[in-house]
Amino acid sequence: SFELTQPPSVSVSPGQTARITCSGDALPKQFGNWYQQKPGQAPVLMIYKDSERPSGIPERFSGSSSGTTVTLTISGVQAEDEADYYCQSADSSGTVVFGGGTKVTVL
Amino acid sequence: QVQLVQSGAEMKKPGSSVKVSCRASGDTFRSYGIIWVRQAPGQGLEWLGGIIPTFDTRKYEQKFQGRVTITADESTSTANMELSSLRSEDTAVYYCARVHLEWLYVDHWGQGTQVIVSS
């Protein structure tokens, strides 16, 4: 199986932009997906197929991909965006992998 | 509205087994896969395996091979995950989740089931 690597933490001031990266050798061939998880809650899909946003997800959340890295960008961060964020991908055999998670702190 | 409703919390002894169920609504079993993911206290998300109910095909994370069994009953739209030879490190919240078959992203999650392994 493959691995996905995320930074453990990102800190950002309200109104600023947060960028969370996720790196993995398989990412040039496989899509990356992003989930937000708040304490005591199940994860929520924020971005799928690198850059698609599900309905109901605020426009300030966006995704991009370049080479072996996918990036989740939160523009105009709000206090409610403080959470853990996980990237996820899968290989062609159906093996699912999650990144280690990034804790976003809004200062 | 898609719902995945999981069974209740479990407390188990080391060496025993636990079975967690997940009842799905809508067309989940006809058009999607179900995966199981766990989260130990203070830790990240960990994939255990998954199943495509309409084809009854399964895939397990190598780490759990031989200890985990995932099944699906189409007649009741219920998926089950059984983990055997439990140890304290298996203490976690276990989630079932609906996965898009073509792009393998999760669009809906169950509410989670707390499993505590303790003597």
Side-chain angles (χ1 to χ4, degrees), chain A residues 31 33 35 37 41-43 45 48-49 86 88 90-91 93-96 98, chain B residues 35 37 39 43-47 59 61 95 103-107 109-110:
Chain A
F31 285 116
N33 311 301
Y35 305 89
Q37 187 182 35
Q41 299 181 19
L45 178 67
Y48 65 99
K49 290 175 65 181
Y86 294 90
Q88 174 259 320
D91 66 17
S93 74
T95 296
V96 173
F98 289 93
Chain B
I35 65 170
V37 177
Q39 187 169 38
Q43 302 301 308
L45 303 173
E46 183 175 33
W47 176 71
K59 178 118 179 133
E61 165 60 50
Y95 293 100
W103 307 114
L104 295 178
Y105 62 85
V106 172
D107 64 355
W109 297 74

PDB file of all heavy atoms in Angstrom, chain A residues 31 33 35 37 41-43 45 48-49 86 88 90-91 93-96 98, chain B residues 35 37 39 43-47 59 61 95 103-107 109-110:
ATOM      1  N   PHE A  31      -6.822  10.234  -7.380  1.00  0.00           N
ATOM      2  CA  PHE A  31      -7.392  11.459  -6.845  1.00  0.00           C
ATOM      3  C   PHE A  31      -7.206  11.543  -5.334  1.00  0.00           C
ATOM      4  O   PHE A  31      -7.103  10.533  -4.646  1.00  0.00           O
ATOM      5  CB  PHE A  31      -8.891  11.524  -7.146  1.00  0.00           C
ATOM      6  CG  PHE A  31      -9.209  11.858  -8.569  1.00  0.00           C
ATOM      7  CD1 PHE A  31      -9.864  10.937  -9.371  1.00  0.00           C
ATOM      8  CD2 PHE A  31      -8.878  13.090  -9.104  1.00  0.00           C
ATOM      9  CE1 PHE A  31     -10.174  11.239 -10.689  1.00  0.00           C
ATOM     10  CE2 PHE A  31      -9.182  13.399 -10.418  1.00  0.00           C
ATOM     11  CZ  PHE A  31      -9.821  12.471 -11.213  1.00  0.00           C
ATOM     12  N   ASN A  33      -8.895  13.220  -1.732  1.00  0.00           N
ATOM     13  CA  ASN A  33     -10.140  13.679  -1.125  1.00  0.00           C
ATOM     14  C   ASN A  33      -9.834  14.232   0.262  1.00  0.00           C
ATOM     15  O   ASN A  33      -8.843  13.847   0.884  1.00  0.00           O
ATOM     16  CB  ASN A  33     -11.132  12.518  -1.004  1.00  0.00           C
ATOM     17  CG  ASN A  33     -11.259  11.741  -2.307  1.00  0.00           C
ATOM     18  OD1 ASN A  33     -11.626  12.297  -3.356  1.00  0.00           O
ATOM     19  ND2 ASN A  33     -10.944  10.457  -2.265  1.00  0.00           N
ATOM     20  N   TYR A  35     -11.402  15.496   4.210  1.00  0.00           N
ATOM     21  CA  TYR A  35     -12.464  15.415   5.198  1.00  0.00           C
ATOM     22  C   TYR A  35     -12.135  16.334   6.366  1.00  0.00           C
ATOM     23  O   TYR A  35     -10.979  16.474   6.748  1.00  0.00           O
ATOM     24  CB  TYR A  35     -12.623  13.974   5.718  1.00  0.00           C
ATOM     25  CG  TYR A  35     -12.838  12.976   4.614  1.00  0.00           C
ATOM     26  CD1 TYR A  35     -11.754  12.367   3.990  1.00  0.00           C
ATOM     27  CD2 TYR A  35     -14.115  12.668   4.154  1.00  0.00           C
ATOM     28  CE1 TYR A  35     -11.940  11.479   2.953  1.00  0.00           C
ATOM     29  CE2 TYR A  35     -14.307  11.785   3.113  1.00  0.00           C
ATOM     30  CZ  TYR A  35     -13.213  11.190   2.509  1.00  0.00           C
ATOM     31  OH  TYR A  35     -13.395  10.313   1.472  1.00  0.00           O
ATOM     32  N   GLN A  37     -13.007  16.939  10.417  1.00  0.00           N
ATOM     33  CA  GLN A  37     -13.559  16.269  11.588  1.00  0.00           C
ATOM     34  C   GLN A  37     -13.435  17.161  12.806  1.00  0.00           C
ATOM     35  O   GLN A  37     -12.340  17.597  13.153  1.00  0.00           O
ATOM     36  CB  GLN A  37     -12.858  14.934  11.851  1.00  0.00           C
ATOM     37  CG  GLN A  37     -13.518  14.136  12.968  1.00  0.00           C
ATOM     38  CD  GLN A  37     -12.809  12.828  13.274  1.00  0.00           C
ATOM     39  OE1 GLN A  37     -11.604  12.728  13.194  1.00  0.00           O
ATOM     40  NE2 GLN A  37     -13.596  11.800  13.633  1.00  0.00           N
ATOM     41  N   GLN A  41     -17.286  14.106  16.541  1.00  0.00           N
ATOM     42  CA  GLN A  41     -18.149  13.971  15.364  1.00  0.00           C
ATOM     43  C   GLN A  41     -17.491  13.090  14.317  1.00  0.00           C
ATOM     44  O   GLN A  41     -16.277  12.906  14.293  1.00  0.00           O
ATOM     45  CB  GLN A  41     -18.452  15.341  14.764  1.00  0.00           C
ATOM     46  CG  GLN A  41     -19.190  16.281  15.696  1.00  0.00           C
ATOM     47  CD  GLN A  41     -19.497  17.619  15.041  1.00  0.00           C
ATOM     48  OE1 GLN A  41     -19.484  17.756  13.815  1.00  0.00           O
ATOM     49  NE2 GLN A  41     -19.798  18.607  15.859  1.00  0.00           N
ATOM     50  N   ALA A  42     -18.337  12.544  13.432  1.00  0.00           N
ATOM     51  CA  ALA A  42     -17.821  11.801  12.285  1.00  0.00           C
ATOM     52  C   ALA A  42     -17.231  12.782  11.272  1.00  0.00           C
ATOM     53  O   ALA A  42     -17.608  13.955  11.238  1.00  0.00           O
ATOM     54  CB  ALA A  42     -18.945  10.993  11.638  1.00  0.00           C
ATOM     55  N   PRO A  43     -16.309  12.306  10.463  1.00  0.00           N
ATOM     56  CA  PRO A  43     -15.746  13.174   9.422  1.00  0.00           C
ATOM     57  C   PRO A  43     -16.818  13.626   8.428  1.00  0.00           C
ATOM     58  O   PRO A  43     -17.865  12.987   8.285  1.00  0.00           O
ATOM     59  CB  PRO A  43     -14.701  12.277   8.740  1.00  0.00           C
ATOM     60  CG  PRO A  43     -14.373  11.234   9.749  1.00  0.00           C
ATOM     61  CD  PRO A  43     -15.655  10.988  10.490  1.00  0.00           C
ATOM     62  N   LEU A  45     -17.089  15.045   4.296  1.00  0.00           N
ATOM     63  CA  LEU A  45     -16.399  15.234   3.020  1.00  0.00           C
ATOM     64  C   LEU A  45     -16.393  16.711   2.651  1.00  0.00           C
ATOM     65  O   LEU A  45     -17.450  17.337   2.579  1.00  0.00           O
ATOM     66  CB  LEU A  45     -17.097  14.410   1.935  1.00  0.00           C
ATOM     67  CG  LEU A  45     -16.528  14.514   0.515  1.00  0.00           C
ATOM     68  CD1 LEU A  45     -15.143  13.893   0.442  1.00  0.00           C
ATOM     69  CD2 LEU A  45     -17.471  13.862  -0.495  1.00  0.00           C
ATOM     70  N   TYR A  48     -13.611  16.346  -3.067  1.00  0.00           N
ATOM     71  CA  TYR A  48     -13.367  15.026  -3.661  1.00  0.00           C
ATOM     72  C   TYR A  48     -12.799  15.188  -5.064  1.00  0.00           C
ATOM     73  O   TYR A  48     -12.931  16.256  -5.681  1.00  0.00           O
ATOM     74  CB  TYR A  48     -14.638  14.165  -3.664  1.00  0.00           C
ATOM     75  CG  TYR A  48     -15.763  14.688  -4.536  1.00  0.00           C
ATOM     76  CD1 TYR A  48     -15.982  14.167  -5.803  1.00  0.00           C
ATOM     77  CD2 TYR A  48     -16.621  15.687  -4.080  1.00  0.00           C
ATOM     78  CE1 TYR A  48     -17.013  14.630  -6.605  1.00  0.00           C
ATOM     79  CE2 TYR A  48     -17.646  16.167  -4.864  1.00  0.00           C
ATOM     80  CZ  TYR A  48     -17.845  15.628  -6.129  1.00  0.00           C
ATOM     81  OH  TYR A  48     -18.869  16.106  -6.923  1.00  0.00           O
ATOM     82  N   LYS A  49     -12.166  14.169  -5.550  1.00  0.00           N
ATOM     83  CA  LYS A  49     -11.517  14.189  -6.867  1.00  0.00           C
ATOM     84  C   LYS A  49     -10.630  15.423  -7.011  1.00  0.00           C
ATOM     85  O   LYS A  49     -10.723  16.156  -8.004  1.00  0.00           O
ATOM     86  CB  LYS A  49     -12.576  14.126  -7.967  1.00  0.00           C
ATOM     87  CG  LYS A  49     -13.280  12.787  -8.072  1.00  0.00           C
ATOM     88  CD  LYS A  49     -14.414  12.800  -9.091  1.00  0.00           C
ATOM     89  CE  LYS A  49     -13.898  13.010 -10.495  1.00  0.00           C
ATOM     90  NZ  LYS A  49     -15.006  13.052 -11.478  1.00  0.00           N
ATOM     91  N   TYR A  86      -8.279  15.532   7.146  1.00  0.00           N
ATOM     92  CA  TYR A  86      -7.628  14.324   6.664  1.00  0.00           C
ATOM     93  C   TYR A  86      -7.716  14.253   5.148  1.00  0.00           C
ATOM     94  O   TYR A  86      -8.789  14.454   4.570  1.00  0.00           O
ATOM     95  CB  TYR A  86      -8.296  13.074   7.238  1.00  0.00           C
ATOM     96  CG  TYR A  86      -8.147  12.930   8.724  1.00  0.00           C
ATOM     97  CD1 TYR A  86      -9.080  13.465   9.597  1.00  0.00           C
ATOM     98  CD2 TYR A  86      -7.054  12.247   9.267  1.00  0.00           C
ATOM     99  CE1 TYR A  86      -8.941  13.340  10.973  1.00  0.00           C
ATOM    100  CE2 TYR A  86      -6.904  12.115  10.644  1.00  0.00           C
ATOM    101  CZ  TYR A  86      -7.856  12.671  11.482  1.00  0.00           C
ATOM    102  OH  TYR A  86      -7.703  12.533  12.850  1.00  0.00           O
ATOM    103  N   GLN A  88      -7.296  11.673   1.832  1.00  0.00           N
ATOM    104  CA  GLN A  88      -7.555  10.250   1.597  1.00  0.00           C
ATOM    105  C   GLN A  88      -7.429   9.973   0.117  1.00  0.00           C
ATOM    106  O   GLN A  88      -7.762  10.805  -0.733  1.00  0.00           O
ATOM    107  CB  GLN A  88      -8.956   9.888   2.089  1.00  0.00           C
ATOM    108  CG  GLN A  88      -9.414   8.471   1.772  1.00  0.00           C
ATOM    109  CD  GLN A  88     -10.361   8.408   0.588  1.00  0.00           C
ATOM    110  OE1 GLN A  88     -11.230   9.249   0.422  1.00  0.00           O
ATOM    111  NE2 GLN A  88     -10.189   7.406  -0.265  1.00  0.00           N
ATOM    112  N   ALA A  90      -7.008   6.287  -2.803  1.00  0.00           N
ATOM    113  CA  ALA A  90      -7.142   4.846  -2.957  1.00  0.00           C
ATOM    114  C   ALA A  90      -6.371   4.410  -4.180  1.00  0.00           C
ATOM    115  O   ALA A  90      -6.220   5.182  -5.133  1.00  0.00           O
ATOM    116  CB  ALA A  90      -8.606   4.453  -3.073  1.00  0.00           C
ATOM    117  N   ASP A  91      -5.869   3.195  -4.145  1.00  0.00           N
ATOM    118  CA  ASP A  91      -5.170   2.720  -5.332  1.00  0.00           C
ATOM    119  C   ASP A  91      -6.118   1.903  -6.208  1.00  0.00           C
ATOM    120  O   ASP A  91      -7.281   1.685  -5.863  1.00  0.00           O
ATOM    121  CB  ASP A  91      -3.916   1.928  -4.952  1.00  0.00           C
ATOM    122  CG  ASP A  91      -4.221   0.624  -4.228  1.00  0.00           C
ATOM    123  OD1 ASP A  91      -5.373   0.142  -4.290  1.00  0.00           O
ATOM    124  OD2 ASP A  91      -3.289   0.085  -3.608  1.00  0.00           O
ATOM    125  N   SER A  93      -6.393  -1.114  -6.760  1.00  0.00           N
ATOM    126  CA  SER A  93      -6.876  -2.393  -6.226  1.00  0.00           C
ATOM    127  C   SER A  93      -7.983  -2.204  -5.203  1.00  0.00           C
ATOM    128  O   SER A  93      -8.546  -3.171  -4.706  1.00  0.00           O
ATOM    129  CB  SER A  93      -5.715  -3.155  -5.576  1.00  0.00           C
ATOM    130  OG  SER A  93      -5.352  -2.563  -4.335  1.00  0.00           O
ATOM    131  N   GLY A  94      -8.269  -0.938  -4.863  1.00  0.00           N
ATOM    132  CA  GLY A  94      -9.321  -0.666  -3.896  1.00  0.00           C
ATOM    133  C   GLY A  94      -8.825  -0.453  -2.481  1.00  0.00           C
ATOM    134  O   GLY A  94      -9.622  -0.293  -1.554  1.00  0.00           O
ATOM    135  N   THR A  95      -7.512  -0.434  -2.281  1.00  0.00           N
ATOM    136  CA  THR A  95      -6.959  -0.129  -0.962  1.00  0.00           C
ATOM    137  C   THR A  95      -7.145   1.346  -0.671  1.00  0.00           C
ATOM    138  O   THR A  95      -6.779   2.205  -1.473  1.00  0.00           O
ATOM    139  CB  THR A  95      -5.469  -0.485  -0.912  1.00  0.00           C
ATOM    140  OG1 THR A  95      -5.321  -1.895  -1.086  1.00  0.00           O
ATOM    141  CG2 THR A  95      -4.867  -0.085   0.420  1.00  0.00           C
ATOM    142  N   VAL A  96      -7.727   1.625   0.480  1.00  0.00           N
ATOM    143  CA  VAL A  96      -8.000   3.014   0.886  1.00  0.00           C
ATOM    144  C   VAL A  96      -6.945   3.457   1.899  1.00  0.00           C
ATOM    145  O   VAL A  96      -6.574   2.690   2.791  1.00  0.00           O
ATOM    146  CB  VAL A  96      -9.407   3.117   1.502  1.00  0.00           C
ATOM    147  CG1 VAL A  96      -9.651   4.503   2.093  1.00  0.00           C
ATOM    148  CG2 VAL A  96     -10.467   2.779   0.451  1.00  0.00           C
ATOM    149  N   PHE A  98      -5.616   6.867   4.387  1.00  0.00           N
ATOM    150  CA  PHE A  98      -5.809   8.202   4.950  1.00  0.00           C
ATOM    151  C   PHE A  98      -4.457   8.785   5.337  1.00  0.00           C
ATOM    152  O   PHE A  98      -3.555   8.057   5.778  1.00  0.00           O
ATOM    153  CB  PHE A  98      -6.682   8.141   6.207  1.00  0.00           C
ATOM    154  CG  PHE A  98      -8.129   7.839   5.931  1.00  0.00           C
ATOM    155  CD1 PHE A  98      -8.588   6.535   5.959  1.00  0.00           C
ATOM    156  CD2 PHE A  98      -9.034   8.849   5.648  1.00  0.00           C
ATOM    157  CE1 PHE A  98      -9.916   6.238   5.704  1.00  0.00           C
ATOM    158  CE2 PHE A  98     -10.368   8.571   5.397  1.00  0.00           C
ATOM    159  CZ  PHE A  98     -10.799   7.255   5.424  1.00  0.00           C
TER     160      PHE A  98
ATOM    161  N   ILE B  35     -17.157   0.863   3.521  1.00  0.00           N
ATOM    162  CA  ILE B  35     -15.854   0.627   4.141  1.00  0.00           C
ATOM    163  C   ILE B  35     -15.977   0.804   5.652  1.00  0.00           C
ATOM    164  O   ILE B  35     -16.935   1.414   6.144  1.00  0.00           O
ATOM    165  CB  ILE B  35     -14.739   1.555   3.583  1.00  0.00           C
ATOM    166  CG1 ILE B  35     -15.015   3.021   3.915  1.00  0.00           C
ATOM    167  CG2 ILE B  35     -14.580   1.336   2.085  1.00  0.00           C
ATOM    168  CD1 ILE B  35     -13.836   3.928   3.597  1.00  0.00           C
ATOM    169  N   VAL B  37     -13.751   2.098   9.014  1.00  0.00           N
ATOM    170  CA  VAL B  37     -12.634   2.949   9.412  1.00  0.00           C
ATOM    171  C   VAL B  37     -12.670   3.060  10.927  1.00  0.00           C
ATOM    172  O   VAL B  37     -13.749   3.188  11.511  1.00  0.00           O
ATOM    173  CB  VAL B  37     -12.767   4.351   8.776  1.00  0.00           C
ATOM    174  CG1 VAL B  37     -11.655   5.285   9.244  1.00  0.00           C
ATOM    175  CG2 VAL B  37     -12.772   4.247   7.244  1.00  0.00           C
ATOM    176  N   GLN B  39     -10.866   4.854  14.617  1.00  0.00           N
ATOM    177  CA  GLN B  39     -10.104   5.974  15.160  1.00  0.00           C
ATOM    178  C   GLN B  39      -9.852   5.732  16.633  1.00  0.00           C
ATOM    179  O   GLN B  39     -10.771   5.803  17.454  1.00  0.00           O
ATOM    180  CB  GLN B  39     -10.863   7.285  14.945  1.00  0.00           C
ATOM    181  CG  GLN B  39     -10.080   8.519  15.314  1.00  0.00           C
ATOM    182  CD  GLN B  39     -10.765   9.795  14.828  1.00  0.00           C
ATOM    183  OE1 GLN B  39     -11.994   9.907  14.856  1.00  0.00           O
ATOM    184  NE2 GLN B  39      -9.980  10.753  14.377  1.00  0.00           N
ATOM    185  N   GLN B  43      -6.091   9.692  17.959  1.00  0.00           N
ATOM    186  CA  GLN B  43      -5.346   9.285  16.767  1.00  0.00           C
ATOM    187  C   GLN B  43      -6.121   9.597  15.486  1.00  0.00           C
ATOM    188  O   GLN B  43      -7.248  10.120  15.539  1.00  0.00           O
ATOM    189  CB  GLN B  43      -5.034   7.790  16.829  1.00  0.00           C
ATOM    190  CG  GLN B  43      -4.234   7.372  18.046  1.00  0.00           C
ATOM    191  CD  GLN B  43      -2.906   8.073  18.129  1.00  0.00           C
ATOM    192  OE1 GLN B  43      -2.117   8.075  17.173  1.00  0.00           O
ATOM    193  NE2 GLN B  43      -2.628   8.702  19.273  1.00  0.00           N
ATOM    194  N   GLY B  44      -5.521   9.241  14.357  1.00  0.00           N
ATOM    195  CA  GLY B  44      -6.131   9.507  13.060  1.00  0.00           C
ATOM    196  C   GLY B  44      -7.048   8.395  12.600  1.00  0.00           C
ATOM    197  O   GLY B  44      -7.362   7.461  13.334  1.00  0.00           O
ATOM    198  N   LEU B  45      -7.468   8.519  11.353  1.00  0.00           N
ATOM    199  CA  LEU B  45      -8.389   7.553  10.748  1.00  0.00           C
ATOM    200  C   LEU B  45      -7.602   6.396  10.151  1.00  0.00           C
ATOM    201  O   LEU B  45      -6.584   6.606   9.487  1.00  0.00           O
ATOM    202  CB  LEU B  45      -9.212   8.246   9.656  1.00  0.00           C
ATOM    203  CG  LEU B  45     -10.017   9.456  10.107  1.00  0.00           C
ATOM    204  CD1 LEU B  45     -10.654  10.143   8.902  1.00  0.00           C
ATOM    205  CD2 LEU B  45     -11.088   9.056  11.118  1.00  0.00           C
ATOM    206  N   GLU B  46      -8.105   5.183  10.349  1.00  0.00           N
ATOM    207  CA  GLU B  46      -7.416   3.983   9.872  1.00  0.00           C
ATOM    208  C   GLU B  46      -8.430   3.075   9.160  1.00  0.00           C
ATOM    209  O   GLU B  46      -9.430   2.684   9.744  1.00  0.00           O
ATOM    210  CB  GLU B  46      -6.767   3.243  11.039  1.00  0.00           C
ATOM    211  CG  GLU B  46      -5.972   2.020  10.634  1.00  0.00           C
ATOM    212  CD  GLU B  46      -5.257   1.384  11.809  1.00  0.00           C
ATOM    213  OE1 GLU B  46      -5.779   1.423  12.948  1.00  0.00           O
ATOM    214  OE2 GLU B  46      -4.160   0.825  11.589  1.00  0.00           O
ATOM    215  N   TRP B  47      -8.159   2.754   7.915  1.00  0.00           N
ATOM    216  CA  TRP B  47      -9.024   1.902   7.105  1.00  0.00           C
ATOM    217  C   TRP B  47      -8.801   0.435   7.473  1.00  0.00           C
ATOM    218  O   TRP B  47      -7.677  -0.037   7.524  1.00  0.00           O
ATOM    219  CB  TRP B  47      -8.724   2.141   5.637  1.00  0.00           C
ATOM    220  CG  TRP B  47      -9.459   1.279   4.665  1.00  0.00           C
ATOM    221  CD1 TRP B  47     -10.787   1.339   4.353  1.00  0.00           C
ATOM    222  CD2 TRP B  47      -8.914   0.244   3.849  1.00  0.00           C
ATOM    223  NE1 TRP B  47     -11.099   0.405   3.393  1.00  0.00           N
ATOM    224  CE2 TRP B  47      -9.957  -0.277   3.060  1.00  0.00           C
ATOM    225  CE3 TRP B  47      -7.631  -0.296   3.679  1.00  0.00           C
ATOM    226  CZ2 TRP B  47      -9.783  -1.300   2.131  1.00  0.00           C
ATOM    227  CZ3 TRP B  47      -7.434  -1.313   2.761  1.00  0.00           C
ATOM    228  CH2 TRP B  47      -8.512  -1.814   1.998  1.00  0.00           C
ATOM    229  N   LYS B  59     -12.226  -6.359   0.390  1.00  0.00           N
ATOM    230  CA  LYS B  59     -10.804  -6.039   0.414  1.00  0.00           C
ATOM    231  C   LYS B  59     -10.488  -5.647   1.837  1.00  0.00           C
ATOM    232  O   LYS B  59     -11.228  -4.879   2.455  1.00  0.00           O
ATOM    233  CB  LYS B  59     -10.481  -4.877  -0.519  1.00  0.00           C
ATOM    234  CG  LYS B  59      -9.044  -4.465  -0.500  1.00  0.00           C
ATOM    235  CD  LYS B  59      -8.424  -4.659  -1.857  1.00  0.00           C
ATOM    236  CE  LYS B  59      -6.962  -4.224  -1.828  1.00  0.00           C
ATOM    237  NZ  LYS B  59      -6.110  -5.219  -2.464  1.00  0.00           N
ATOM    238  N   GLU B  61      -7.420  -4.355   4.712  1.00  0.00           N
ATOM    239  CA  GLU B  61      -6.086  -3.830   4.974  1.00  0.00           C
ATOM    240  C   GLU B  61      -5.215  -5.002   5.442  1.00  0.00           C
ATOM    241  O   GLU B  61      -5.638  -5.805   6.289  1.00  0.00           O
ATOM    242  CB  GLU B  61      -6.144  -2.727   6.029  1.00  0.00           C
ATOM    243  CG  GLU B  61      -4.820  -2.340   6.655  1.00  0.00           C
ATOM    244  CD  GLU B  61      -3.823  -1.835   5.637  1.00  0.00           C
ATOM    245  OE1 GLU B  61      -4.196  -0.943   4.848  1.00  0.00           O
ATOM    246  OE2 GLU B  61      -2.688  -2.352   5.638  1.00  0.00           O
ATOM    247  N   TYR B  95     -16.185   3.320  12.492  1.00  0.00           N
ATOM    248  CA  TYR B  95     -17.154   3.942  11.599  1.00  0.00           C
ATOM    249  C   TYR B  95     -17.384   3.055  10.369  1.00  0.00           C
ATOM    250  O   TYR B  95     -16.433   2.504   9.805  1.00  0.00           O
ATOM    251  CB  TYR B  95     -16.632   5.280  11.071  1.00  0.00           C
ATOM    252  CG  TYR B  95     -16.474   6.386  12.072  1.00  0.00           C
ATOM    253  CD1 TYR B  95     -15.224   6.699  12.607  1.00  0.00           C
ATOM    254  CD2 TYR B  95     -17.569   7.161  12.452  1.00  0.00           C
ATOM    255  CE1 TYR B  95     -15.069   7.736  13.508  1.00  0.00           C
ATOM    256  CE2 TYR B  95     -17.426   8.201  13.354  1.00  0.00           C
ATOM    257  CZ  TYR B  95     -16.176   8.477  13.876  1.00  0.00           C
ATOM    258  OH  TYR B  95     -16.028   9.518  14.768  1.00  0.00           O
ATOM    259  N   TRP B 103     -14.716   6.492  -7.826  1.00  0.00           N
ATOM    260  CA  TRP B 103     -13.670   7.417  -7.402  1.00  0.00           C
ATOM    261  C   TRP B 103     -13.207   7.188  -5.973  1.00  0.00           C
ATOM    262  O   TRP B 103     -12.287   7.844  -5.513  1.00  0.00           O
ATOM    263  CB  TRP B 103     -14.150   8.857  -7.581  1.00  0.00           C
ATOM    264  CG  TRP B 103     -14.639   9.126  -8.964  1.00  0.00           C
ATOM    265  CD1 TRP B 103     -15.910   9.422  -9.347  1.00  0.00           C
ATOM    266  CD2 TRP B 103     -13.858   9.080 -10.172  1.00  0.00           C
ATOM    267  NE1 TRP B 103     -15.970   9.582 -10.714  1.00  0.00           N
ATOM    268  CE2 TRP B 103     -14.735   9.371 -11.248  1.00  0.00           C
ATOM    269  CE3 TRP B 103     -12.512   8.830 -10.434  1.00  0.00           C
ATOM    270  CZ2 TRP B 103     -14.309   9.409 -12.565  1.00  0.00           C
ATOM    271  CZ3 TRP B 103     -12.082   8.882 -11.758  1.00  0.00           C
ATOM    272  CH2 TRP B 103     -12.967   9.163 -12.798  1.00  0.00           C
ATOM    273  N   LEU B 104     -13.855   6.240  -5.276  1.00  0.00           N
ATOM    274  CA  LEU B 104     -13.410   5.811  -3.949  1.00  0.00           C
ATOM    275  C   LEU B 104     -13.263   6.953  -2.942  1.00  0.00           C
ATOM    276  O   LEU B 104     -12.260   7.045  -2.228  1.00  0.00           O
ATOM    277  CB  LEU B 104     -12.117   4.994  -4.065  1.00  0.00           C
ATOM    278  CG  LEU B 104     -12.283   3.657  -4.812  1.00  0.00           C
ATOM    279  CD1 LEU B 104     -10.956   2.929  -4.917  1.00  0.00           C
ATOM    280  CD2 LEU B 104     -13.319   2.780  -4.123  1.00  0.00           C
ATOM    281  N   TYR B 105     -14.248   7.826  -2.894  1.00  0.00           N
ATOM    282  CA  TYR B 105     -14.308   8.803  -1.807  1.00  0.00           C
ATOM    283  C   TYR B 105     -15.560   8.509  -0.972  1.00  0.00           C
ATOM    284  O   TYR B 105     -16.526   7.934  -1.455  1.00  0.00           O
ATOM    285  CB  TYR B 105     -14.339  10.244  -2.339  1.00  0.00           C
ATOM    286  CG  TYR B 105     -15.530  10.586  -3.204  1.00  0.00           C
ATOM    287  CD1 TYR B 105     -16.736  10.998  -2.654  1.00  0.00           C
ATOM    288  CD2 TYR B 105     -15.438  10.509  -4.593  1.00  0.00           C
ATOM    289  CE1 TYR B 105     -17.820  11.307  -3.458  1.00  0.00           C
ATOM    290  CE2 TYR B 105     -16.515  10.813  -5.406  1.00  0.00           C
ATOM    291  CZ  TYR B 105     -17.708  11.202  -4.831  1.00  0.00           C
ATOM    292  OH  TYR B 105     -18.777  11.502  -5.639  1.00  0.00           O
ATOM    293  N   VAL B 106     -15.514   8.893   0.296  1.00  0.00           N
ATOM    294  CA  VAL B 106     -16.623   8.641   1.208  1.00  0.00           C
ATOM    295  C   VAL B 106     -17.552   9.844   1.212  1.00  0.00           C
ATOM    296  O   VAL B 106     -17.121  10.964   1.496  1.00  0.00           O
ATOM    297  CB  VAL B 106     -16.103   8.402   2.643  1.00  0.00           C
ATOM    298  CG1 VAL B 106     -17.257   8.336   3.631  1.00  0.00           C
ATOM    299  CG2 VAL B 106     -15.276   7.121   2.693  1.00  0.00           C
ATOM    300  N   ASP B 107     -18.824   9.619   0.928  1.00  0.00           N
ATOM    301  CA  ASP B 107     -19.755  10.742   0.947  1.00  0.00           C
ATOM    302  C   ASP B 107     -20.689  10.734   2.151  1.00  0.00           C
ATOM    303  O   ASP B 107     -21.329  11.744   2.443  1.00  0.00           O
ATOM    304  CB  ASP B 107     -20.547  10.832  -0.368  1.00  0.00           C
ATOM    305  CG  ASP B 107     -21.447   9.627  -0.608  1.00  0.00           C
ATOM    306  OD1 ASP B 107     -21.402   8.662   0.186  1.00  0.00           O
ATOM    307  OD2 ASP B 107     -22.191   9.649  -1.608  1.00  0.00           O
ATOM    308  N   TRP B 109     -21.043   9.009   6.340  1.00  0.00           N
ATOM    309  CA  TRP B 109     -20.465   8.234   7.434  1.00  0.00           C
ATOM    310  C   TRP B 109     -21.550   7.820   8.425  1.00  0.00           C
ATOM    311  O   TRP B 109     -22.531   8.549   8.622  1.00  0.00           O
ATOM    312  CB  TRP B 109     -19.431   9.067   8.187  1.00  0.00           C
ATOM    313  CG  TRP B 109     -18.239   9.474   7.386  1.00  0.00           C
ATOM    314  CD1 TRP B 109     -18.190  10.441   6.421  1.00  0.00           C
ATOM    315  CD2 TRP B 109     -16.914   8.938   7.477  1.00  0.00           C
ATOM    316  NE1 TRP B 109     -16.922  10.537   5.901  1.00  0.00           N
ATOM    317  CE2 TRP B 109     -16.112   9.633   6.542  1.00  0.00           C
ATOM    318  CE3 TRP B 109     -16.322   7.953   8.270  1.00  0.00           C
ATOM    319  CZ2 TRP B 109     -14.752   9.357   6.367  1.00  0.00           C
ATOM    320  CZ3 TRP B 109     -14.971   7.688   8.108  1.00  0.00           C
ATOM    321  CH2 TRP B 109     -14.198   8.381   7.161  1.00  0.00           C
ATOM    322  N   GLY B 110     -21.356   6.672   9.066  1.00  0.00           N
ATOM    323  CA  GLY B 110     -22.189   6.324  10.196  1.00  0.00           C
ATOM    324  C   GLY B 110     -21.815   7.185  11.393  1.00  0.00           C
ATOM    325  O   GLY B 110     -20.854   7.962  11.351  1.00  0.00           O
TER     326      GLY B 110
END
